[in-house]
Amino acid sequence: MPERFLNYIGGEWTAPSTNDYFENRNPADREDVIGRFPRSGAADVERAVQSARRGFAAWSRTPAPLRGQVLQRVGELLVQKKEEIARAMTREMGKVLPETRGDVQEGIDTAFYAATEGRRLFGRVVPSELRSKWAMSFRRPIGVAGLITPFNFPLAIPTWKTFPALLCGNAVILKPAEDVPHTVHLLVEVLLEAGLPPEVIQLVHGQGSILGRALVEHPDVPVISFTGSTETGSIIGATCGRMHKRLSLEMGGKNAMIVLDDADLDLALDGVLWGAFGTTGQRCTATSRLIVQEKVHDRFLRMVCDRAATLRLGPGLDPTTEVGPLIHAAARDKVAEYVGIAKGEGASVAIGGAVPSDPRLAHGWFYQPTVFAGVTPGMRVEQEEIFGPALSVIRVKDLDEAIRVNNGVPYGLSSALYTRDVNAAFRAMTDLDNGITYVNAPTIGAEAHLPFGGVKQTGNGHREGGWEVYDFYSETKVVYVDYSGTLQRAQIDTYDK
Ligand code: ADP
């Protein structure tokens, strides 16, 4: 019988009110059951909210430097447990071990960054327009934060949300994706071992449409942060708009790498393989479009296909594996469906386009790295997020056209430009309509101390990471102290005295 895992609510590991559990299986080998996890109900969310409110009452009054010390210990424990967590993550999510180690490292970086913010968390003191008066602002915790996370970065994304939320003095309810409950279970164990007071964190497992929804609709959860699909983000956005909640949305991408005629093609080749097929293409920053200037188009396409065809598929725990499986059957079916769509629209499948026939891979959700050639702007494979190992190659005349194609999609997360021309690089940095642009590096590789997020339908203007996320998780309060002993009227007495 596989191990049974529990929710963490009210300061203890606890069974779901439904007494119902679901199986979590290894996407590289569906015979491998990792454990059974709660399929919780709305009653569990209710208990979690009540507990988090109690946790908030005490935690919000704990000095920020002491909150930071807890996160310092969290970072140290993650360093100790990096390998153990990375292995567990590869088993339940599928990506290769070097990538899951990187995922844990991102959590470590986020923890140490958050720890130092405990001694900063700046407000501002500015001159008042009136004499004998001080004007300043400081940060207050908000309340209970409901954090809803996706499957592709099972540890990093929960830490991006949880650590700054906690550092700012909020209590947290975590609702991880159904596909990766084990990694978040391990994270909550680390938080508790580091000394986080029990009711400050709650973990509820289960379906997004029930639990996630209950969390978003709960009147005592004023802050929601969500990473996932644009469809779900739109539903959550509508609810939060109606209920006037603070909401951070991080959603889809259709990221492009532009390769100009003068680019170092070997460098660009390494970049595009990593950008397109790393994490089996299941990154919101994945390179899913390759925009190539006409003189080097045919040659570069050949280089990409030759190398992509040799990428070794397999379980992520095997050190020779370069590309792991997709997360589940539906994700793989979606890639296969887009192969049909691409052909129907007149693009060609240059390589891949099928489930691998190797019997060694028969128990997992593997799909061949796929390259679509002859893609033109407006085709569905050029516009829609596939979230799998599929790359659409588009030929352009010059940088102007490349920028137009890059910007001609509904999303705006990441972009990349390969060139040796400094003027072209600066033009692109200015005009590419994305939250992040890489020059001579692929579309993936964000660092924890810089803001992460996109424009257009990728997000709603907030950022994760960096300083910006601390604005999201705190309320700014302004204080004026008038020590003149008289009534001074702002704007009115300012210039007339
Ligand atoms: P993906 O397609 O990447 O799985 P989803 O948007 O479906 O993205 O899921 C991301 C997260 O949102 C998961 O934790 C999921 O359980 C949750 N979720 C799904 N539907 C809803 C919903 N209606 N309300 C709140 N959360 C949801």
Side-chain angles (χ1 to χ4, degrees):
M1 192 73 168
E3 188 178 350
R4 203 184 61 166
F5 290 82
L6 300 171
N7 291 324
Y8 188 78
I9 300 174
E12 57 186 20
W13 295 102
T14 173
S17 60
T18 54
N19 210 19
D20 191 11
Y21 294 81
F22 65 92
E23 281 183 343
N24 176 25
R25 288 172 183 260
N26 179 344
D29 174 8
R30 44 186 179 267
E31 310 299 315
D32 176 22
V33 181
I34 292 153
R36 293 166 63 235
F37 288 83
R39 190 177 279 129
S40 315
D44 299 298
V45 170
E46 184 58 43
R47 282 187 53 224
V49 173
Q50 295 319 323
S51 168
R53 279 164 56 98
R54 291 190 293 271
F56 174 72
W59 184 244
S60 58
R61 290 184 157 69
T62 303
L66 301 190
R67 299 196 297 250
Q69 275 175 23
V70 173
L71 289 160
Q72 175 73 25
R73 284 197 293 276
V74 168
E76 287 160 3
L77 285 168
L78 288 174
V79 169
Q80 280 173 28
K81 293 171 190 273
K82 182 171 172 178
E83 191 62 20
E84 176 200 333
I85 297 174
R87 288 186 170 272
M89 196 192 310
T90 290
R91 185 175 167 210
E92 83 170 345
M93 188 275 167
K95 61 187 174 184
V96 296
L97 205 44
E99 288 189 42
T100 51
R101 289 187 187 121
D103 195 309
V104 181
Q105 187 58 47
E106 209 163 320
I108 294 168
D109 298 343
T110 303
F112 289 147
Y113 185 81
T116 62
E117 282 309 331
R119 290 192 182 271
R120 261 191 305 261
L121 216 60
F122 294 132
R124 295 195 180 104
V125 181
V126 296
S128 166
E129 63 189 44
L130 292 159
R131 290 166 210 276
S132 302
K133 186 178 175 190
W134 275 41
M136 54 203 160
S137 70
F138 71 100
R139 292 168 186 283
R140 300 177 75 211
I142 306 172
V144 178
L147 310 181
I148 301 171
T149 56
F151 74 84
N152 57 345
F153 284 84
L155 188 93
I157 293 180
T159 68
W160 283 6
K161 298 181 192 299
T162 304
F163 296 172
L166 291 176
L167 193 277
C168 289
N170 305 290
V172 163
I173 301 176
L174 261 174
K175 206 310 272 171
E178 297 90 310
D179 312 290
V180 292
H182 189 210
T183 306
V184 178
H185 175 94
L186 297 175
L187 172 64
V188 171
E189 283 186 343
V190 164
L191 284 162
L192 297 173
E193 193 180 335
L196 188 72
E199 294 203 291
V200 178
I201 184 90
Q202 326 284 324
L203 171 62
V204 279
H205 293 290
Q207 292 156 280
S209 53
I210 294 170
L211 279 196
R213 190 172 156 192
L215 198 53
V216 171
E217 291 180 350
H218 201 292
D220 292 329
V221 182
V223 183
I224 298 288
S225 180
F226 166 82
T227 302
S229 64
T230 301
E231 298 73 42
T232 306
S234 301
I235 297 169
I236 292 176
T239 306
C240 290
R242 189 163 39 78
M243 297 181 76
H244 309 299
K245 292 192 179 199
R246 182 178 294 226
L247 170 68
S248 173
L249 292 173
E250 193 52 54
M251 303 172 288
K254 191 69 189 174
N255 315 291
M257 175 194 284
I258 298 169
V259 178
L260 297 185
D261 285 343
D262 72 331
D264 176 339
L265 292 188
D266 292 321
L267 183 68
L269 178 62
D270 288 340
V272 73
L273 292 169
W274 173 229
F277 304 118
T279 326
T280 320
Q282 301 171 110
R283 289 183 181 233
C284 39
T285 54
T287 308
S288 62
R289 296 183 297 157
L290 176 62
I291 303 173
V292 191
Q293 201 171 357
E294 54 191 7
K295 246 200 340 225
V296 292
H297 174 275
D298 294 357
R299 189 167 136 226
F300 193 58
L301 175 61
R302 228 174 305 117
M303 286 167 73
V304 171
C305 290
D306 288 351
R307 274 278 296 282
T310 67
L311 289 172
R312 205 180 135 84
L313 271 59
L317 288 170
D318 176 344
T320 63
T321 295
E322 291 170 291
V323 180
L326 286 132
I327 188 70
H328 46 43
R332 181 167 79 172
D333 292 349
K334 185 174 176 189
V335 181
E337 193 187 326
Y338 273 98
V339 170
I341 292 169
K343 288 179 185 161
E345 287 184 313
S348 65
V349 179
I351 58 147
V355 171
S357 53
D358 185 346
R360 202 175 54 92
L361 305 176
H363 294 291
W365 307 116
F366 294 94
Y367 201 83
Q368 292 174 341
T370 298
V371 176
F372 302 123
V375 174
T376 53
M379 285 184 178
R380 285 185 61 192
V381 286
E382 196 267 334
Q383 291 284 315
E384 298 172 13
E385 187 174 47
I386 301 173
F387 227 62
L391 178 70
S392 297
V393 185
I394 305 137
R395 179 198 299 263
V396 293
K397 210 164 66 268
D398 53 23
L399 178 61
D400 283 334
E401 188 181 354
I403 292 173
R404 266 200 314 278
V405 172
N406 175 80
N407 294 351
V409 294
Y411 302 107
L413 183 52
S414 181
S415 56
L417 174 78
Y418 280 75
T419 184
R420 291 178 167 110
D421 177 347
V422 70
N423 293 356
F426 273 83
R427 255 213 60 208
M429 282 154 56
T430 311
D431 292 344
L432 291 171
D433 207 1
N434 302 93
I436 310 167
T437 290
Y438 294 86
V439 177
N440 292 327
T443 55
I444 62 182
E447 300 182 28
H449 54 301
L450 281 161
F452 176 92
V455 302
K456 299 194 275 188
Q457 285 183 29
T458 291
N460 65 341
H462 291 293
R463 292 290 183 269
E464 307 224 57
W467 168 252
E468 280 76 355
V469 75
Y470 292 86
D471 281 336
F472 178 75
Y473 288 109
S474 59
E475 198 74 76
T476 297
K477 175 154 190 182
V478 168
V479 179
Y480 299 100
V481 180
D482 188 325
Y483 57 97
S484 68
T486 58
L487 171 67
Q488 300 193 89
R489 296 167 302 174
Q491 292 90 42
I492 296 167
D493 296 329
T494 303
Y495 303 107
D496 297 343
K497 278 200 169 168

